Amino acid sequence: MIEQYVLDLQEIDETQVAVVGGKGAHLGGLSRIEGIRVPAGFCVTTDAFRRIMAEAPSIDDRLDQLSRVDPDDREAIRTLSAQIRRAIEEVAIPGDVAAAITRALAQLGEQAAYAVRSSATAEDLPTASFAGQQDTYLNIVGPTAILPHVSRCWASLFTERAVTYRQRNGIDHRTVHMAVVVQQMVFPHAAGILFTADPVTGNRKVATVDAGFGLGEALVSGLVNPDVFKVRHGEVVAKTIAAKQRAVHALPAGGTQEVAIDAQRQEQPALTDGQAVQLVQLGRRIEAHFGRPQDIEWCLVDEGFQIVQSRPITTLFPIPETDDQENHVYVSVGHQQMMTDPMKPLGLSMWQLTAMVPMHEAGGRLFVDVTRRLASPASRAALLDLVGRGDPLVRDALETVLDHDDFVPSLPDAGPGGPPAGGASAPIETDPALVTELIERSQTSIAALERDIRTKSGPELFDFLLEAFEEHKRVLSDPLSIRAIMAGMEATWWLNDKLGEWLGEKNAADTLTLSAPDNVTSEMGLALLDVADVIRPHAEAVEFLQGVEYAEDAAFLDELAKLAGGTEARDAIETYLDRYGMRCVGEIDITRPRWRERPTTLVPVILDNVRNFEPGAAERRFEQGREKAQKKEQEVLSRLRALPDGDRKADETKRMIDRVRTFIGYREYPKYGIVSRYFVYKQALMEEAERLVQAGVLPEKEDVFYLTFQELHDVVRSNQVDDQIVQQRKDAFRSYDALTPPRVLTSDGEAVTGAYRRDDVPAGALIGLPVSARTIEGRARVILDMADADLEAGDILVTTFTDPSWSPLFVGIAGLVTEVGGLMTHGAVIAREYGLPAVVGVEQATRLIRDGQRIRVHGTGGYIEILP
């Protein structure tokens, strides 16, 4: 193959990233769009870069060393990257490469001024922008100056920030190559950045223009605050004109210089409104060409705009796809299900197939479309009331969208919105036998599933599963089950509302629900204390567990059984896994490893229990909770009887206490049933995956996670898979991990998180939702992965979200703070069960609270104070 060292921008398009890097490919694409002016120039291709790398063999050893360095070892990265840069810059540019660059310069004008710009192959990608990771040099004049700057651009592939960025994103340094763009300089009156979608809200219909005087470098480097124009539907809808005291200008002999701006010009706008609108029109044309919102660098020269760069905006949360042009409002499922991480395609499609309402995917997360229910006044009020009781941030976000003029259409009350799910329910007796019956129904159905699926394989398995999903939904939608759940929730709300009104008691139900019966999630946490009781007396078994590495298989259990007391320890863990092994963090995603598949996940929690508790702790904890609840009931009823009309109030309250204690524990059971079924489905599907691996269709079993259920069905039927789709899905999944899903998302792309709008908290406090009363002080333990748990008695757990799998940790902590959650989500229910002060829905809690800090959690007031 003939190596090509230089390509004119006119010869390039966006498909040639491997040859000219991301920036070069986008500039080539831009230069082909009608009506878009791009400064003339050429690219020094990655062929030239590979020649240079081959001339410096010492780089290979250093790249090997770099691949082994921890991304957090800044000193090692700084040293190695500096050595690699120096080695590249010291290599003389081969004569044929230098000649190709000089010839291209001669065609454009040797003594003209140029911008010399890095263009890496892992840059300006749809999933990672790499903005600012490599170097650009402005106003470079003449070949003798340009050639060494080309070398510096090659070397800038290994700046400390670029190396760290790649290591954190899991990108192999050897797979990235550097091209260099050499473009004629433009000397603009004004320059800046255009985002074709609002980078703050995500709204795709609002473009944002940042503008300043002189070269755009002043804005990019943060030297000045820009003028900001917001443009929607062809008009400026908001603008801020900044005092621009300085600018960057090009010097006649080369290079750039900061200059002061005349006082009378500082507050003049860098663009007129008409120019801002015209620029956005050009941006929309560029956006249409590349097929996604763009971050565009522009210059205003002689009253015309020139475009010097365009890259995808990678921070926007994607929008669910629809087949219409209507407005839509979506509510996050993950915030209700306590799993805001992205899900893999198989997990998404399985949840969609087994959910009770249609669900829409975006950014690896699921959303429910609530537009129709917001459209009519009656269903809107019911929906806002329901979500507001659970998570005030969702309610506030929905109200924010409703405040946008005409975004949500108005329908009459009798419209197709229908009654909201979980609305008025038929009466149900306060009878514990009903809960027993519901649990037995679920267990019978799961046992039938386990029995019948054993004989199914191949395409027949998928047909069977589609029928099983219907049974799954039938059990979930059992009217008696829904009424039991609602009875517990409504009794909780009634007690909090009425006892607040009559006695001034805040969140009285938190104590009244302690140690409620039939709560499978709280029982799961206590049962792990019993496991610790079995293991604690056996020093050899405890020591062995302390040395167990985080592994993916159950082999350690066989090793454990060989030790003194090891058989008892193994049997206790196995018995626990038989009952709860289908659970795991993020369990709504079927692709997540279950405890049964990775039992070592439980080892740190078992060891914490061995260390922090005395024998018999589970029974004592449960009994203490029950006694506290009983005592609270007597106190409340006694105080009520002393009030006017007290006997009636006390009788009503007693009925509601009985009701809440009968039904609130069952609130956790349907999720347990879902996850139990999911594990049965998963085991059958993984057997199919193993067969596909044996047949050479897939390289590894986990590849099936990146296919939807229907796609996997097709692969099993045809014994063929599109490897490219699997790889694309893996790349997309990695990119989704960096996105924070909003509680509410609109079809315009606006991501709305909601606010608490409270003024009853101390200055500097972090606001959240109070879900379990009392106040506690202690050491904050910021834990993002349950396997990293290392807790002492009195610690306060701070994490992103807690689904039921976290409940074994709850027995060993003194309080709970989460970023996601609502009044009736699993973490809140279990916190109340265990009597833990808890505040959930605290935005960025894991970033604002440092591990080891002392904090005070106000579980009644709903805020956290960080203590000195």
Side-chain angles (χ1 to χ4, degrees):
M1 187 181 81
I2 298 173
E3 291 177 326
Q4 231 177 340
Y5 297 125
V6 169
L7 286 173
D8 191 276
L9 284 181
Q10 298 286 339
E11 302 176 75
I12 297 165
D13 65 28
E14 54 269 33
T15 64
Q16 292 168 272
V17 172
V19 179
V20 295
K23 187 178 290 137
H26 275 81
L27 284 167
L30 282 166
S31 66
R32 292 163 176 257
I33 305 172
E34 190 177 343
I36 302 298
R37 293 168 60 196
V38 177
F42 59 88
C43 280
V44 183
T45 68
T46 52
D47 284 346
F49 174 76
R50 276 189 282 269
R51 275 281 298 278
I52 296 301
M53 294 293 278
E55 302 268 335
S58 65
I59 290 173
D60 262 353
D61 294 338
R62 290 181 179 130
L63 284 176
D64 285 341
Q65 291 175 52
L66 199 56
S67 67
R68 294 191 290 270
V69 168
D70 188 299
D72 293 322
D73 188 346
R74 296 185 63 178
E75 189 54 45
I77 289 174
R78 185 179 298 123
T79 303
L80 282 167
S81 57
Q83 290 171 355
I84 294 169
R85 287 199 305 278
R86 198 160 46 246
I88 292 171
E89 288 187 42
E90 285 171 358
V91 174
I93 298 179
D96 50 349
V97 176
I101 295 170
T102 306
R103 273 197 305 276
L105 286 169
Q107 288 176 348
L108 291 172
E110 275 193 3
Q111 293 310 307
Y114 290 89
V116 183
R117 314 171 70 192
S118 305
S119 179
T121 52
E123 180 179 66
D124 297 351
L125 305 177
T127 55
S129 75
F130 290 76
Q133 300 306 313
Q134 286 92 32
D135 291 346
T136 285
Y137 303 95
L138 301 177
N139 202 29
I140 311 300
V141 180
T144 54
I146 286 169
L147 287 171
H149 281 91
V150 170
S151 285
R152 284 177 200 161
C153 281
W154 285 329
S156 77
L157 188 64
F158 296 97
T159 61
E160 184 185 341
R161 63 184 182 272
V163 166
T164 303
Y165 190 97
R166 286 196 294 274
Q167 288 195 253
R168 290 193 188 285
N169 282 275
I171 294 169
D172 183 348
H173 301 296
R174 292 176 190 277
T175 64
V176 185
H177 301 111
M178 180 68 85
V180 180
V181 176
V182 180
Q183 262 181 303
Q184 284 185 341
M185 274 294 292
V186 290
F187 303 99
H189 159 71
I193 300 163
L194 159 64
F195 297 96
T196 63
D198 189 314
V200 177
T201 68
N203 194 318
R204 308 310 200 259
K205 292 185 178 173
V206 176
T208 301
V209 178
D210 290 1
F213 294 125
L215 292 166
E217 199 64 21
L219 301 189
V220 173
S221 64
L223 182 64
V224 296
N225 289 326
D227 296 340
V228 180
F229 299 81
K230 290 198 179 290
V231 178
R232 182 184 176 104
H233 298 321
E235 63 176 308
V236 174
V237 293
K239 65 180 170 182
T240 306
I241 306 304
K244 300 169 288 296
Q245 296 175 336
R246 305 190 71 73
V248 174
H249 284 172
L251 295 170
T256 60
Q257 175 185 329
E258 282 181 35
V259 296
I261 295 175
D262 295 342
Q264 64 269 27
R265 282 190 68 217
Q266 286 179 8
E267 296 197 23
Q268 286 181 4
L271 294 177
T272 65
D273 285 9
Q275 287 170 327
V277 169
Q278 181 193 351
L279 177 60
V280 170
Q281 287 170 344
L282 294 175
R284 293 289 180 220
R285 199 175 295 177
I286 294 168
E287 179 183 67
H289 176 83
F290 288 118
R292 60 196 329 132
Q294 297 288 300
D295 162 358
I296 298 164
E297 292 180 26
W298 56 270
C299 297
L300 179 61
V301 189
D302 301 329
E303 300 307 311
F305 289 102
Q306 296 209 30
I307 305 300
V308 294
Q309 188 161 334
S310 186
R311 61 167 75 92
I313 307 175
T314 58
T315 54
L316 297 175
F317 200 85
I319 307 171
E321 289 182 13
T322 60
D323 53 6
D324 61 41
Q325 299 301 310
E326 303 294 319
N327 290 345
H328 294 271
V329 182
Y330 304 98
V331 171
S332 163
V333 173
H335 285 81
Q336 314 304 312
Q337 290 294 336
M338 296 299 90
M339 215 292 274
T340 53
D341 291 347
M343 295 168 69
K344 296 187 179 82
L346 185 62
L348 289 164
S349 65
M350 291 288 281
W351 194 261
Q352 286 170 310
L353 285 165
T354 52
M356 300 309 302
V357 294
M359 294 195 173
H360 306 265
E361 184 273 331
R365 278 81 169 186
L366 291 169
F367 295 84
V368 173
D369 188 342
V370 295
T371 318
R372 303 304 289 265
R373 282 165 60 187
L374 287 174
S376 68
S379 61
R380 179 191 312 143
L383 176 66
L384 291 175
D385 181 57
L386 190 66
V387 299
R389 283 184 177 276
D391 185 345
L393 290 178
V394 175
R395 177 177 184 138
D396 185 78
L398 290 173
E399 287 175 336
T400 300
V401 174
L402 288 167
D403 286 342
H404 297 347
D405 291 342
D406 301 326
F407 186 83
V408 176
S410 279
L411 294 172
D413 281 341
S425 53
I428 183 174
E429 289 178 56
T430 303
D431 181 0
L434 292 174
V435 173
T436 306
E437 180 192 339
L438 285 166
I439 290 171
E440 285 173 357
R441 281 190 204 176
S442 177
Q443 289 173 337
T444 301
S445 177
I446 292 167
L449 171 67
E450 289 173 329
R451 181 190 66 238
D452 296 344
I453 204 170
R454 287 186 194 124
T455 58
K456 306 297 188 291
S457 64
E460 186 189 8
L461 169 67
F462 289 83
D463 295 336
F464 171 82
L465 283 173
L466 287 172
E467 290 178 20
F469 297 162
E470 293 308 308
E471 167 67 3
H472 180 123
K473 289 193 277 191
R474 188 195 65 73
V475 172
L476 268 186
S477 61
D478 181 337
L480 183 62
S481 177
I482 291 169
R483 291 207 299 274
I485 293 167
M486 290 307 298
M489 290 166 66
E490 286 163 357
T492 304
W493 298 335
W494 189 97
L495 287 166
N496 283 337
D497 290 348
K498 291 298 185 183
L499 296 181
E501 177 191 334
W502 293 337
L503 299 177
E505 282 264 357
K506 260 187 159 183
N507 301 334
D510 293 0
T511 307
L512 293 167
T513 53
L514 289 172
S515 298
D518 298 313
N519 188 320
V520 69
T521 308
S522 65
E523 288 166 5
M524 178 170 72
L526 296 174
L528 207 57
L529 287 174
D530 292 335
V531 172
D533 285 355
V534 174
I535 294 170
R536 191 180 292 107
H538 306 294
E540 205 176 330
V542 172
E543 186 182 356
F544 170 79
L545 290 175
Q546 286 166 341
V548 168
E549 292 293 323
Y550 184 65
E552 292 193 16
D553 57 50
F556 85 97
L557 290 171
D558 296 332
E559 294 300 312
L560 177 62
K562 297 172 185 174
L563 307 172
T567 304
E568 294 94 318
R570 182 199 59 189
D571 290 349
I573 294 172
E574 284 282 7
T575 300
Y576 186 86
L577 290 172
D578 287 343
R579 176 109 164 97
Y580 304 110
M582 77 294 288
R583 309 220 82 150
C584 67
V585 173
E587 60 193 10
I588 70 169
D589 182 352
I590 197 172
T591 72
R592 291 287 191 106
R594 311 281 134 178
W595 291 343
R596 171 53 81 186
E597 296 168 312
R598 198 177 285 176
T600 44
T601 307
L602 294 170
V603 170
V605 193
I606 293 170
L607 290 171
D608 283 347
N609 289 348
V610 166
R611 186 174 66 245
N612 296 332
F613 291 93
E614 295 296 321
E619 192 175 342
R620 278 197 307 279
R621 286 287 295 267
F622 188 81
E623 189 54 33
Q624 284 165 1
R626 200 182 61 76
E627 287 172 6
K628 275 186 193 171
Q630 212 165 26
K631 188 177 171 188
K632 184 69 175 176
E633 176 182 329
Q634 289 164 357
E635 176 219 317
V636 163
L637 296 177
S638 172
R639 289 171 62 195
L640 284 171
R641 288 197 177 95
L643 297 177
D645 198 20
D647 286 345
R648 179 187 62 82
K649 290 172 179 170
D651 289 346
E652 283 185 32
T653 302
K654 171 61 176 162
R655 279 198 301 276
M656 282 300 174
I657 292 172
D658 290 346
R659 197 163 177 77
V660 83
R661 291 194 66 80
T662 297
F663 293 115
I664 201 64
Y666 179 71
R667 161 79 180 79
E668 292 294 296
Y669 201 87
K671 181 77 170 280
Y672 176 77
I674 290 170
V675 176
S676 298
R677 288 174 180 281
Y678 265 32
F679 192 40
V680 179
Y681 305 153
K682 182 179 186 179
Q683 288 171 304
L685 290 172
M686 294 316 287
E687 285 178 21
E688 291 302 311
E690 179 60 42
R691 190 187 63 74
L692 291 169
V693 170
Q694 296 300 327
V697 179
L698 290 174
E700 50 191 50
K701 285 195 300 184
E702 285 73 20
D703 283 353
V704 299
F705 295 161
Y706 298 94
L707 301 170
T708 66
F709 179 82
Q710 186 55 56
E711 287 166 347
L712 178 54
H713 189 179
D714 293 341
V715 170
V716 166
R717 211 167 16 219
S718 66
N719 262 3
Q720 290 182 318
V721 70
D722 186 337
D723 296 330
Q724 204 171 358
I725 283 182
V726 171
Q727 189 54 52
Q728 285 169 357
R729 300 267 177 82
K730 288 180 178 179
D731 293 342
F733 179 75
R734 268 198 302 273
S735 73
Y736 295 154
D737 212 21
L739 300 175
T740 300
R743 282 176 169 80
V744 171
L745 179 67
T746 74
S747 49
D748 282 356
E750 186 174 1
V752 194
T753 54
Y756 286 107
R757 308 190 193 282
R758 288 171 54 191
D759 53 12
D760 59 341
V761 297
L766 307 180
I767 303 175
L769 179 66
V771 296
S772 186
R774 291 193 307 114
T775 299
I776 192 77
E777 279 185 26
R779 179 180 69 155
R781 291 308 321 272
V782 180
I783 296 173
L784 302 180
D785 185 336
M786 190 172 143
D788 298 331
D790 181 15
L791 296 163
E792 300 288 346
D795 283 349
I796 296 168
L797 173 63
V798 180
T799 190
T800 320
F801 58 79
T802 59
D803 59 11
S805 70
W806 285 75
S807 66
L809 290 185
F810 284 22
V811 297
I813 58 175
L816 173 69
V817 178
T818 68
E819 294 181 348
V820 177
L823 192 62
M824 283 297 170
T825 48
H826 301 276
V829 172
I830 304 308
R832 289 193 291 273
E833 277 277 317
Y834 288 164
L836 295 175
V839 180
V840 302
V842 182
E843 293 284 283
Q844 298 191 16
T846 58
R847 294 175 207 168
L848 298 173
I849 300 171
R850 290 197 313 276
D851 187 49
Q853 274 186 321
R854 284 197 67 78
I855 61 173
R856 184 181 296 129
V857 177
H858 293 262
T860 307
Y863 60 93
I864 294 99
E865 292 178 282
I866 298 175
L867 302 176

